[in-house]
Amino acid sequence: MNTIQPEVIQAYLNKHVTTPLYAHVETTNGAYATHNDPDFHNAGMFIRNVVIEYSIGQIKGHGPYRVGLKLDHGWLYVEGLTDFELHGDQLLLAGHDRLGRLACALHLDPKPLPQGATEVEDQ
């Protein structure tokens, strides 16, 4: 992945205003890491292949960055973004901590995203 270049991300967001996009949003404070502290409360969020259209798309900050997308009835907002990949009309934004662990992700694509896991596992 590359370090976020705000002007590249803003150009993508501007280009896709009112375009139906499939969205993947994920946040975690440690779902991919092992924690040996029984008092640690792990939290996260995952949503995939939700079709959105936004009227305003903005990237803000000086690194880590935040992206806000104004939807018909609210906002989709992801904060802590550090890296990106752009493949044609597919944009992947991710936020990694100092150790390189994933903290958040925002993936936008005019085509459906690969499905992956379909069930929530009980651990």
Side-chain angles (χ1 to χ4, degrees):
M1 297 194 87
N2 301 302
T3 301
I4 284 182
Q5 299 170 24
E7 64 281 355
V8 173
I9 305 309
Q10 190 60 60
Y12 178 94
L13 297 174
N14 292 345
K15 178 182 174 186
H16 291 86
V17 167
T18 69
T19 301
L21 295 172
Y22 288 87
H24 167 89
V25 181
E26 182 173 352
T27 65
T28 178
N29 69 348
Y32 301 117
T34 300
H35 299 285
N36 296 318
D37 181 353
D39 295 324
F40 181 83
H41 178 79
N42 187 40
M45 178 274 204
F46 180 94
I47 188 168
R48 191 160 186 84
N49 278 333
V50 172
V51 179
I52 64 165
E53 288 185 44
Y54 58 88
S55 57
I56 299 170
Q58 297 179 328
I59 183 166
K60 298 289 184 177
H62 302 287
Y65 297 91
R66 60 193 177 279
V67 167
L69 304 174
K70 174 70 170 97
L71 309 175
D72 283 345
H73 301 286
W75 285 84
L76 187 159
Y77 182 89
V78 180
E79 186 169 9
L81 300 165
T82 57
D83 304 290
F84 83 105
E85 287 183 5
L86 187 58
H87 302 284
D89 272 346
Q90 181 184 93
L91 174 65
L92 174 60
L93 297 164
H96 296 97
D97 69 12
R98 292 182 305 261
L99 300 176
R101 295 175 297 198
L102 182 67
C104 60
L106 172 61
H107 187 169
L108 300 171
D109 195 326
K111 296 176 289 195
L113 306 166
Q115 285 298 314
T118 58
E119 292 183 17
V120 174
E121 296 181 19
D122 187 20
Q123 298 189 30

